Amino acid sequence: MIEKLKTRVVAADPDSVAEAARVLMAGGLVAFPTETVYGLGADATNGTAVAKLYAAKGRPAFNPLIAHVPDLSSARRIAILDGPADRLAAKFWPGPLTLVLRKSAGCPVSELATAGLDSIAVRMPNHKVARDLLAALGRPVVAPSANRSGHLSPTAANHVLADLEGRIDLVVDGGQTTVGVESTIVALLDGPPVLLRPGGVPREEIEQVLERELGDPPDGEIDPEAPLAPGMLASHYAPRARVRLRAEHVDPGEALLAFGPHLPKGSEHAARVLNLSPSGDLVEAAANLFSDLRALDAAEVSSIAVMPIPLEGLGEAINDRLMRASAPR
Ligand code: TXA
Ligand code: MG
């Protein structure tokens, strides 16, 4: 049972950020913008707050969370950064890259947040509101995307409210997020580096810094109770409508999620058309992905046809999210 809360929305400014830090310090739940998607934050060192967070999201309890930090010294307090981790952090932090690392000795993050693993996911977001909030709190903040488990990730404050009103204390509204897909997650543990989740930093750029290829996560449906590569549930980013990928035509009554200047056959009959990027720019497409999917889903069509999207650069993350959105459930 979830206690019913009065969720307040406040515009991001120094006063509201200070208030958000107080709410977190007191064990509350605060949604805040990052450059990727809105996160639902809780004090990572407070097990009760983390438990409330899982309950508010309705999240499988063994799916571990990302600890967000404002700077490198805070990262080193919770995790061990060796050579490759240091190089990636120097190049991409702050930014949409999460590193899964060995926990530091005496890591203060609650065991619940890391699902009892001896590794921890760490990220330094590149968003002024997020960084000011983290700096003001002076503790790591765990923050999954601020949506109900299995729903689309929010890229605006009203998306957060649609899912979590009455379940969280505060939403800090910082406008639309810019990257639009979640961070790339790379595990740097005992074996070779592994790309656990494609995201805001393209694989190629990470491989260039590491001077080696990234391994791939295991495919397919993964048991959330056995978090070998948790968070890789096949059906995850889920609109209500069926999602039909690599569409080369539009069926009558379908909505179309387009990409690029050339629309497929039947588009003129589409119930609604949104274009991720009319010019075919993958960065723009990533930023629009979740809000466009959400808008088409709101049109209450039974099916959304999605045009093919190239796999290079941010296209890998976009295709990954679309595949999850289309997975049978
Ligand atoms: O862009 C983002 O990363 C957003 C914003 C809010 O920062 N956060 C986000 O968090 O996407 P979330 O909880 O939706 O995704 C976290 C992913 C999950 O797939 C989880 O299984 C994985 O990180 N993860 C966390 N800790 C891990 C660990 N120790 N080992 C492997 N995977 C881990
Ligand atoms: Mg999520």
Side-chain angles (χ1 to χ4, degrees):
M1 259 292 293
I2 299 244
E3 133 198 40
K4 173 92 174 146
L5 299 172
K6 169 114 190 65
T7 304
R8 287 186 314 115
V9 183
V10 289
D13 64 26
D15 288 342
S16 61
V17 166
E19 185 193 350
R22 284 194 299 272
V23 172
L24 288 173
M25 188 60 94
L29 301 179
V30 176
F32 62 94
T34 79
E35 78 278 32
T36 57
V37 300
Y38 274 71
L40 177 57
D43 174 354
T45 67
N46 178 339
T48 311
V50 176
K52 278 204 288 188
L53 190 157
Y54 282 116
K57 269 193 72 96
R59 170 172 216 154
F62 287 104
N63 203 355
L65 302 168
I66 297 172
H68 295 64
V69 295
D71 50 43
L72 207 52
S73 59
S74 307
R76 288 189 202 287
R77 277 200 285 277
I78 59 176
I80 299 167
L81 282 79
D82 60 1
D86 271 328
R87 289 210 299 284
L88 290 179
K91 174 82 181 178
F92 298 109
W93 279 359
L97 174 67
T98 294
L99 299 177
V100 174
L101 302 166
R102 283 278 155 248
K103 270 185 191 170
S104 67
C107 172
V109 172
S110 102
E111 286 284 335
L112 183 58
T114 55
L117 301 173
D118 58 6
S119 58
I120 184 165
V122 186
R123 149 162 155 78
M124 189 193 300
N126 184 18
H127 191 291
K128 182 164 178 3
V129 174
R131 299 190 75 192
D132 288 351
L133 176 57
L134 292 166
L137 184 67
R139 295 180 178 182
V141 169
V142 282
S145 49
N147 52 274
R148 296 279 279 274
S149 193
H151 291 195
L152 290 170
S153 291
T155 53
N158 63 315
H159 302 166
V160 176
L161 269 189
D163 259 24
L164 295 175
E165 180 153 31
R167 298 179 149 247
I168 65 177
D169 297 289
L170 195 65
V171 182
V172 181
D173 184 350
Q176 282 277 132
T177 64
T178 52
V179 176
V181 290
E182 297 88 341
S183 60
T184 302
I185 305 182
V186 173
L188 296 171
L189 297 172
D190 300 331
V194 174
L195 181 70
L196 289 179
R197 175 175 78 182
V201 177
R203 169 202 290 268
E204 301 87 316
E205 292 183 21
I206 296 166
E207 290 178 338
Q208 220 163 47
V209 172
L210 292 178
E211 297 178 324
R212 63 185 296 175
E213 289 191 357
L214 290 169
D216 285 310
D219 294 333
E221 188 84 31
I222 278 141
D223 180 358
E225 305 292 312
L228 177 68
M232 304 305 293
L233 302 172
S235 173
H236 189 98
Y237 300 89
R240 248 191 327 265
R242 192 167 78 88
V243 174
R244 190 165 70 78
L245 300 184
R246 289 176 287 277
E248 286 176 347
H249 69 277
V250 183
D251 287 328
E254 266 189 323
L256 173 65
L257 186 60
F259 176 80
H262 306 296
L263 300 194
K265 285 192 294 287
S267 331
E268 60 285 4
H269 305 302
R272 188 154 180 217
V273 180
L274 287 176
N275 200 323
L276 289 171
S277 171
S279 66
D281 174 359
L282 288 165
V283 174
E284 181 185 25
N288 290 329
L289 178 66
F290 290 130
S291 55
D292 282 3
L293 269 176
R294 206 176 267 276
L296 292 180
D297 205 28
E300 299 198 343
V301 291
S302 58
S303 167
I304 300 171
V306 184
M307 286 176 65
I309 304 201
L311 264 171
E312 79 252 14
L314 288 190
E316 184 174 6
I318 296 171
N319 277 286
D320 173 81
R321 304 304 186 273
L322 284 169
M323 225 177 59
R324 289 168 204 285
S326 73
R329 23 172 206 282

